[in-house]
C-alpha cells in the first residue's frame, strides 16, 4: 500500500480520498496473511471445512443416521413387543398356576372327603359283620348249649331207670350183707 504524496493528487475530502481511506481501513481490519506452518493458518480453509462439515452431516443424516435410527427404532419396537408378550404370558402362567393350584386343592379335599366316607362305610360294614358274626356265634353257642343240655337231660332220663334198678340192687345187697 502506497500513500499519496502530500499536496499531489486529488484534493482533500474528494470521493477518491474517501475510497482510499475505506480501502485502507478494510485492509487494516483484514487479517494478516498467515505464514505457512503457523499455528492458526486459516485463510479460506475455515469456511471450506465448515461447509464440508455441514455437507457431510447432511449426507450422513440422509444415508447413515436415518436408516440406522430407523433400524434401532424397529428393534426397540420388536423388543418392547416381545417383552410385552412375555409379560402377558407370564401373567397367564401365573393365573393358570393359581387356577391349577386351586383345582388340585379342591381335588385333594374331595378325595379326602371320599376317602373318609369310604372308611366310614368300611368301618360300619365291618362293625355290622362283627355284630352279625357275634350274634351268629352267640346263637350257635346257645344252640349247641341247648343241644348239649338236651342230650345230657336225655341221657339222664335214659339212665334214670338203670340208676333206680342199680340203686335198688345196691340197697338189697347192702341189706342182705347187713343181715348176715
Amino acid at each position: 500500500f502506497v500513500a499519496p504524496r502530500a499536496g499531489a493528487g486529488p484534493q482533500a475530502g474528494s470521493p477518491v480520498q474517501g475510497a482510499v481511506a475505506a480501502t485502507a481501513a478494510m485492509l487494516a481490519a483484514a487479517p494478516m496473511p498467515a505464514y505457512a506452518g503457523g499455528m492458526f493458518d486459516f485463510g479460506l480453509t475455515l469456511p471450506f471445512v465448515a461447509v464440508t462439515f455441514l455437507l457431510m452431516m447432511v449426507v450422513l443424516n440422509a444415508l447413515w443416521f436415518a436408516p440406522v435410527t430407523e433400524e434401532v427404532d424397529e428393534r426397540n419396537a420388536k423388543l418392547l413387543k416381545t417383552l410385552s408378550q412375555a409379560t402377558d404370558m407370564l401373567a397367564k402362567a401365573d393365573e393358570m398356576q393359581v387356577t391349577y393350584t386351586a383345582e388340585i386343592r379342591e381335588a385333594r379335599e374331595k378325595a379326602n372327603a371320599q376317602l373318609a366316607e369310604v372308611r366310614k362305610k368300611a368301618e360300619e360294614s365291618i362293625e355290622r359283620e362283627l355284630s352279625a358274626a357275634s350274634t351268629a356265634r352267640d346263637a350257635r353257642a346257645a344252640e349247641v348249649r341247648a343241644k348239649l343240655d338236651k342230650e345230657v337231660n336225655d341221657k339222664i332220663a335214659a339212665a334214670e331207670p338203670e340208676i333206680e334198678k342199680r340203686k335198688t340192687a345196691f340197697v338189697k345187697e347192702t341189706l342182705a350183707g347187713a343181715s348176715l
Side-chain angles (χ1 to χ4, degrees), residues 49-173:
V49 168
V51 168
T52 305
F53 179 76
L54 292 175
L55 181 63
M56 194 155 107
M57 286 302 297
V58 168
V59 169
L60 283 176
N61 276 338
L63 298 178
W64 179 257
F65 294 136
V68 168
T69 304
E70 184 179 318
E71 288 294 323
V72 168
D73 289 344
E74 287 178 12
R75 179 178 170 267
N76 287 341
K78 285 180 185 177
L79 286 174
L80 285 174
K81 182 179 177 184
T82 304
L83 183 62
S84 170
Q85 289 174 346
T87 304
D88 291 343
M89 289 166 64
L90 183 61
K92 286 179 184 177
D94 287 343
E95 289 174 12
M96 289 172 58
Q97 182 180 9
V98 168
T99 303
Y100 289 146
T101 303
E103 288 177 2
I104 288 172
R105 186 177 59 249
E106 290 173 10
R108 284 183 180 162
E109 289 173 359
K110 187 177 179 182
N112 286 339
Q114 288 178 350
L115 183 61
E117 184 179 331
V118 167
R119 281 184 182 161
K120 183 179 176 185
K121 286 182 180 179
E123 287 175 0
E124 288 174 357
S125 174
I126 290 171
E127 187 77 27
R128 279 194 309 267
E129 288 178 11
L130 284 175
S131 176
S134 176
T135 304
R137 181 196 68 217
D138 291 345
R140 177 77 174 139
E143 181 183 316
V144 168
R145 190 174 294 123
K147 184 179 176 184
L148 288 174
D149 284 344
K150 184 182 177 217
E151 285 179 11
V152 168
N153 287 336
D154 287 346
K155 287 186 181 182
I156 289 174
E160 275 297 322
E162 181 71 30
I163 292 173
E164 281 300 318
K165 183 169 107 174
R166 285 188 183 183
K167 182 168 96 174
T168 306
F170 178 72
V171 169
K172 282 182 187 181
E173 275 182 25

Side-chain angles (χ1 to χ4, degrees), residues 27-52:
L27 285 175
M32 294 294 291
Y35 298 104
M39 184 173 218
F40 297 105
D41 186 12
F42 292 123
L44 290 178
T45 306
L46 183 62
F48 178 73
V49 168
V51 168
T52 305

